[in-house]
Amino acid sequence: MQTGSRIESSTASRLMQEKPRSVIVWDPVVRLFHWLVVAGFAMNMFVTEEGKPIHRWIGYAILVAVAIRLVWGFVGTVHARFSDFVPTSSRLMAYAKALLKGREPRYVGHNPAAALMIIVLILMLIACGVTGWMQGLDTFWGIEWVRELHEACAYAILVLATIHVLAAIVESLRHRENLILSMITGRKRAPGGTDIDHAAATD
């Protein structure tokens, strides 16, 4: 019996050692989209001048990136798909209650709060890009409400992105995981314990 116990213990130890310490979560399309949008928005917000060709073309490039991301949300890898992270109201409420108690679970993919933020940011990027495009049309040339809506969308994106970054830093500290680095490498700590693999989570 002792020999059998030693073999089982040795096997369990070997399996634990072989368990991957990290897994690929964010594929290259997701990462490239993320950083292209960050760079493009920063350029148009702080460097280029509104109305100039470079400003418009960067805006169009962001819209193309968003369009590709929307398609990728249906045909991409597991954690890139909207079906993986778009939260239901019940899941979002449950996460919010756990968050307020400081007991929110770690998600391998996007947690419900981050997922909602991403959806809102994508919608705001589309609104900002479309209103920017409208300003170049004869029909809307010089129309004040279009310009004001474009600027409002841009500042809303800036505020939301700031909140998103601060939340990522807080969650990184709470779960002892560098979420910003994971969007560069694509890798996150392998799920285990109370972690939730969002692809398999159900209400």
Side-chain angles (χ1 to χ4, degrees), residues 20-175:
R21 298 177 60 183
S22 64
V23 292
I24 291 290
V25 176
W26 311 126
D27 64 62
V29 174
V30 171
R31 284 178 278 153
L32 189 60
F33 163 77
H34 181 276
W35 295 114
L36 282 177
V37 168
V38 168
F41 178 78
M43 285 290 295
N44 270 5
M45 191 70 186
F46 302 114
V47 179
T48 67
E49 185 178 345
E50 187 176 351
K52 297 296 183 179
I54 184 64
H55 185 95
R56 292 199 302 270
W57 283 110
I58 289 175
Y60 296 151
I62 291 175
L63 282 178
V64 170
V66 169
I68 293 173
R69 181 64 184 91
L70 290 176
V71 173
W72 198 243
F74 294 99
V75 302
T77 54
V78 173
H79 292 291
R81 296 185 184 185
F82 298 126
S83 60
D84 175 72
F85 67 84
V86 172
T88 60
S89 57
S90 59
R91 185 178 295 166
L92 186 59
M93 288 299 296
Y95 183 82
K97 290 178 181 178
L99 183 63
L100 290 174
K101 295 177 182 178
R103 299 176 180 175
E104 77 281 8
R106 170 185 177 263
Y107 278 68
V108 178
H110 292 300
N111 66 56
L116 181 61
M117 175 66 79
I118 289 165
I119 293 168
V120 174
L121 278 170
I122 287 177
L123 292 176
M124 294 305 298
L125 285 168
I126 294 172
C128 192
V130 169
T131 51
W133 167 73
M134 289 170 63
Q135 291 182 80
L137 301 177
D138 292 339
T139 305
F140 298 99
W141 181 265
I143 301 298
E144 192 67 15
W145 70 264
V146 179
R147 184 186 64 80
E148 291 178 351
L149 182 57
H150 180 71
E151 290 184 355
C153 289
Y155 282 108
I157 292 169
L158 181 62
V159 171
L160 291 170
T162 301
I163 295 172
H164 183 57
V165 171
L166 292 176
I169 293 172
V170 171
E171 286 297 289
S172 294
L173 295 173
R174 285 186 55 77
H175 296 293

